[in-house]
């Protein structure tokens, strides 16, 4: 694979002392700036003041389902027909693994800067959510949580082999959210991934949003904020209890 040109991530420093980090990964054709408004809204509400947000930008790659047109993507999508079987049938394993290593590098950089792995959450939307689920569940460190919005678990037929290499996140809380009118990533695919994870003993929760398509809504973003607050409570709270 040719060397990928990557822009540095969009960073939102913690408003208070930096004790935790959220890495949030955008979807196909988007950039980290697409989720800046959501992060800014969470920051305004001042419930995640100790959290630094990292919004990475995918490199531009030719995307098969768009007739090879280059666009920001974490891996190639061969078919995007709205059918589960088409997404599952042909998956860009090499591209997924390259992007997993990139996410792993972001996680390790935070650890190297002094943030413990159990104070790091990885999440994303659509293709970014799929990558976050895969990278988070096969990470070589134990994370605080994993979020997948309007997404699915990629390489699910081989997942058991990948997780066997590193199964540190079997009891890491996972939040999956999906609109029940999604015409891009079918809600049934999201449910299939959720049910597979539950059947294997992973700590997954799934929230469905009636009438929502392949997008996000305020209720969902509030749910994500509550999950982040629960997984990354301010360390000042712990000190005040002593």
């Amino acid at each position: 694979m040719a060397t990928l040109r990557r822009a540095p991530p969009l960073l939102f420093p913690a408003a208070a002392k930096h004790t935790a980090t959220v890495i949030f990964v955008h979807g196909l054709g988007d950039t980290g700036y697409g989720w800046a408004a959501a992060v800014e809204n969470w920051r305004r509400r001042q419930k995640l003041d100790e959290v630094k947000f990292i919004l990475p930008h995918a490199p531009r790659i030719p995307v098969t389902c768009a007739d090879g047109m280059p666009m920001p993507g974490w891996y190639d999508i061969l078919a995007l027909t709205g059918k589960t079987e088409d997404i599952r049938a042909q998956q860009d394993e090499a591209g997924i693994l390259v992007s997993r290593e990139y996410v792993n590098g972001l996680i390790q950089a935070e650890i190297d800067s002094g943030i413990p792995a159990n104070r790091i959450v990885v999440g994303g939307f659509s293709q970014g959510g799929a990558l976050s689920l895969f990278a988070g569940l096969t990470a070589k460190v134990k994370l605080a949580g994993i979020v997948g919005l309007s997404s699915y678990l990629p390489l699910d037929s081989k997942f058991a082999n990948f997780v066997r290499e590193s199964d540190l996140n079997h009891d890491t809380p996972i939040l999956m959210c999906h609109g029940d009118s999604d015409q891009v990533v079918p809600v049934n695919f999201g449910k299939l991934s959720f049910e597979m994870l539950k059947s294997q003993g992973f700590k997954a929760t799934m929230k469905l949003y009636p009438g929502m398509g392949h997008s996000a809504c305020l209720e969902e973003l509030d749910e994500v904020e509550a999950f982040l607050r629960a997984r990354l409570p301010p360390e000042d709270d712990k000190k005040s209890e002593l």
Side-chain angles (χ1 to χ4, degrees), residues 82-94:
K83 296 179 179 178
T84 297
E85 57 270 24
D86 288 343
I87 301 174
R88 291 183 77 195
Q90 302 180 73
Q91 298 191 54
D92 176 18
E93 180 174 338

Side-chain angles (χ1 to χ4, degrees), residues 7 10 19 30 34 38 47 77 89 109 115 134 138 153 157 175 220 227:
L10 177 63
T19 70
D30 200 1
K47 296 179 181 178
I77 299 287
I115 302 302
F134 184 73
T138 63
L153 180 65
S157 64
L175 175 64
E220 178 186 38
F227 178 83

Side-chain angles (χ1 to χ4, degrees), residues 106-196:
L106 295 176
I107 294 170
Q108 190 58 51
E110 290 304 292
I111 294 170
D112 291 345
S113 74
I115 302 302
N118 64 4
R119 294 281 293 169
I120 298 173
V121 169
V122 175
F125 173 79
S126 192
Q127 190 187 57
L131 176 60
S132 297
L133 288 170
F134 184 73
L137 292 170
T138 63
K140 292 180 170 56
V141 292
K142 182 167 175 51
L143 301 170
I146 301 166
V147 177
L149 309 182
S150 303
S151 61
Y152 59 94
L153 180 65
L155 304 179
D156 51 337
S157 64
K158 298 182 176 181
F159 180 67
N161 294 331
F162 285 110
V163 85
R164 198 174 295 126
E165 297 170 7
S166 181
D167 194 15
L168 295 176
N169 288 284
H170 214 100
D171 62 351
T172 296
I174 306 159
L175 175 64
M176 300 176 70
C177 301
H178 221 117
D180 70 359
S181 298
D182 195 328
Q183 300 297 311
V184 179
V185 177
V187 66
N188 285 341
F189 195 7
K191 288 179 180 177
L192 191 68
S193 296
F194 165 71
E195 288 161 4
M196 189 193 90

